[in-house]
C-alpha cells in the first residue's frame, strides 16, 4: 500500500473562514473528530510549496459552497434532473438507519449506524469530485475510512470484492416509481480499493450532516473514480469472491466499466474526458484539464500495475 503524504496546509487555509470556525461542531452524536492524519488532495502540497506567490491556495482548490454541493446532484432515486434530488428528497427517513453486512465476513448482520459511529473516528477530507459527465467540484466531506467498518465485520480470506446497494423505498424516493434504472442501485469495489485509506464512508459535508440529496445518511466516496462509483444511501454491503454486478455497467458496459477510474486519456464514447467544467465557475468559466486518477495517482496508481488503463472504461 502506498505511503500517503500528510497535508501541509491547515483546513483554515483551504476552507472559507466562516465555515472553518464552525467546523469543530460534531454531527450525529459522534464523540470527537479524529486528528487530520489522512491525505487531502495531492495538489495542496504543491500549493503550499509556492512561497512568495501570494495566496498559496488558488480558487481552483477552494471547496465549493454548501449550496453548490447540495443543489447540483445526480441521484436518480429522486429524479434525473440536477435539482430533482434537492427538490424531492426532503421526505426521506434517515434515522434510524442500518447497514446489512453479509457474505464473506466473520460477523454478518445488521449494523445500526449509530453504533457504527460510536466505533469509528470521523475525519474531515477535502477531495476533488469528478463526475463522468465531465463536471467537477471540490467537496469537504466528513466521514470515516471504509476499512474501519470492514474490520469491524471481519473480512474473511476468500473475499476479493465489496458489493454495495442503495435503499429501495419508492414511497419516499419518487424516482424509484419509474424504471429509469434497475433498482436497487448497485456498485462495487475490489477489496484493495475498498481498504485503501482514501476510500471513505461520508456522513457529512462541512459541519452539516450529509443532506438527503447527497446520499444521507451514509455514502461511499472514492475520489480517484468517477462519481457514479460513490454510491449513496447505502443499506447493504456484501463481501464476495466474484466481481459484483454494478448498475451502470449492466446498463451499458461499453460506456461504464467496473473500475471507472478517472482517466483523461480515455474518452467516454460520447464525449472527451480530457477536461472538466468546475461547478461554481460561472457560465463562461474556462474548462480545466482533468488529472489522471483525479489527482490521486501517487497514492493509488500502484493498485493497477500491469492493467491496461485503456480498458478502465
Amino acid at each position: 500500500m502506498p505511503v500517503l503524504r500528510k497535508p501541509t496546509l491547515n483546513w483554515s487555509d483551504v476552507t472559507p473562514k466562516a465555515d472553518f470556525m464552525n467546523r469543530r461542531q460534531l454531527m450525529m452524536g459522534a464523540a470527537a473528530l479524529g486528528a487530520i492524519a489522512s491525505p487531502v488532495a495531492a495538489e495542496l502540497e504543491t500549493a503550499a510549496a509556492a512561497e512568495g506567490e501570494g495566496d498559496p491556495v488558488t480558487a481552483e482548490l477552494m471547496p465549493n459552497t454548501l449550496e453548490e454541493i447540495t443543489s447540483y446532484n445526480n441521484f436518480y432515486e429522486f429524479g434525473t434532473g440536477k435539482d430533482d434530488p434537492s427538490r424531492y428528497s426532503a421526505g426521506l427517513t434517515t434515522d434510524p438507519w442500518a447497514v446489512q453486512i453479509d457474505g464473506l465476513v466473520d460477523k454478518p448482520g445488521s449494523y445500526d449506524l449509530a453504533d457504527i459511529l460510536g466505533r469509528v473516528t470521523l475525519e474531515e477530507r477535502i477531495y476533488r469530485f469528478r463526475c463522468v459527465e465531465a463536471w467537477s467540484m471540490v467537496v469537504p466531506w466528513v466521514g470515516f475510512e471504509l476499512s474501519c467498518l470492514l474490520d469491524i465485520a471481519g473480512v474473511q480470506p476468500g473475499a476479493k470484492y465489496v458489493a454495495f446497494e442503495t435503499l429501495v423505498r419508492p414511497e419516499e424516493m419518487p424516482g424509484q416509481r419509474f424504471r429509469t434504472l434497475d433498482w436497487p442501485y448497485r456498485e462495487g469495489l475490489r477489496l484493495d480499493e475498498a481498504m485503501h485509506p482514501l476510500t471513505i464512508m461520508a456522513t457529512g459535508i462541512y459541519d452539516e450532516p450529509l443532506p438527503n440529496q447527497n446520499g444521507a445518511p451514509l455514502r461511499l466516496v472514492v475520489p480517484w473514480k468517477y462519481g457514479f462509483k460513490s454510491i449513496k444511501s447505502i443499506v447493504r454491503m456484501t463481501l464476495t469472491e466474484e466481481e459484483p454486478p454494478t448498475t451502470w455497467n449492466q446498463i451499458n458496459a461499453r460506456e461504464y466499466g467496473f473500475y471507472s477510474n478517472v482517466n483523461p486519456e480515455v474518452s467516454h464514447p460520447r464525449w472527451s474526458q480530457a477536461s472538466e467544467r468546475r461547478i461554481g465557475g460561472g457560465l463562461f468559466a474556462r474548462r480545466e484539464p482533468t488529472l489522471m486518477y483525479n489527482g490521486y495517482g501517487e497514492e493509488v496508481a500502484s493498485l493497477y500495475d500491469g492493467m491496461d488503463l485503456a480498458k478502465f472504461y
Side-chain angles (χ1 to χ4, degrees):
M1 185 171 293
V3 176
L4 301 175
R5 299 189 306 280
K6 293 183 179 180
T8 57
L9 299 181
N10 295 320
W11 294 111
S12 55
D13 293 321
V14 291
T15 306
K17 182 177 179 181
D19 295 314
F20 175 77
M21 294 303 291
N22 292 325
R23 189 64 62 86
R24 299 300 95 190
Q25 298 174 11
L26 299 182
M27 62 193 64
M28 301 182 72
L33 280 174
I36 308 212
S38 299
V40 293
E43 65 271 20
L44 296 183
E45 286 191 2
T46 302
E51 298 179 0
E53 297 181 7
D55 186 351
V57 182
T58 67
E60 177 187 2
L61 303 180
M62 292 295 289
N64 283 79
T65 66
L66 184 63
E67 180 180 1
E68 290 166 347
I69 296 168
T70 59
S71 63
Y72 195 90
N73 309 101
N74 286 324
F75 199 172
Y76 282 14
E77 283 78 352
F78 298 102
T80 58
K82 292 295 186 288
D83 62 345
D84 284 346
S86 61
R87 294 173 62 191
Y88 302 122
S89 64
L92 178 64
T93 303
T94 60
D95 185 17
W97 193 271
V99 179
Q100 179 72 27
I101 304 179
D102 53 27
L104 299 176
V105 293
D106 297 329
K107 292 171 281 188
S110 179
Y111 287 76
D112 184 78
L113 180 57
D115 292 339
I116 292 172
L117 293 178
R119 302 177 65 179
V120 299
T121 299
L122 293 180
E123 300 178 352
E124 297 173 292
R125 303 284 185 94
I126 296 181
Y127 282 163
R128 288 177 175 267
F129 181 90
R130 175 59 156 80
C131 181
V132 72
E133 298 169 344
W135 56 265
S136 65
M137 294 183 180
V138 176
V139 183
W141 304 103
V142 175
F144 59 92
E145 293 182 11
L146 172 57
S147 62
C148 297
L149 181 54
L150 295 178
D151 287 342
I152 290 172
V155 179
Q156 294 183 354
K160 296 180 182 178
Y161 296 89
V162 185
F164 304 86
E165 290 185 8
T166 292
L167 174 73
V168 176
R169 193 180 290 164
E171 65 274 19
E172 295 183 2
M173 307 174 94
Q176 291 179 338
R177 300 168 195 168
F178 305 94
R179 301 303 300 176
T180 310
L181 300 176
D182 182 18
W183 316 112
Y185 190 89
R186 298 176 177 89
E187 260 305 336
L189 296 174
R190 211 169 60 191
L191 184 60
D192 56 350
E193 297 175 321
M195 298 295 286
H196 194 280
L198 285 180
T199 303
I200 65 170
M201 301 291 273
T203 61
I205 298 171
Y206 281 113
D207 60 348
E208 301 290 336
L210 197 64
N212 288 358
Q213 60 263 39
N214 292 93
L218 188 68
R219 67 168 290 167
L220 180 69
V221 178
V222 191
W224 68 93
K225 294 180 179 287
Y226 292 115
F228 68 87
K229 294 292 291 185
S230 294
I231 185 172
K232 305 176 181 74
S233 300
I234 297 170
V235 294
R236 187 180 182 188
M237 297 169 49
T238 302
L239 279 293
T240 175
E241 186 176 5
E242 303 296 327
E243 181 180 295
T246 60
T247 292
W248 284 106
N249 181 248
Q250 288 184 301
I251 291 173
N252 191 339
R254 177 174 173 265
E255 296 190 359
Y256 305 100
F258 176 81
Y259 285 95
S260 293
N261 293 322
V262 176
N263 188 344
E265 298 178 2
V266 176
S267 295
H268 185 282
R270 289 180 282 132
W271 58 79
S272 170
Q273 295 288 20
S275 65
E276 60 201 57
R277 175 177 61 91
R278 171 75 183 273
I279 299 302
L283 181 63
F284 301 105
R286 179 176 57 86
R287 294 183 67 87
E288 303 171 359
T290 292
L291 302 175
M292 185 68 189
Y293 296 112
N294 206 24
Y296 301 95
E298 185 170 337
E299 290 85 0
V300 304
S302 63
L303 296 177
Y304 310 103
D305 286 345
M307 296 182 69
D308 185 352
L309 301 185
K311 293 183 178 180
F312 276 6
Y313 241 91

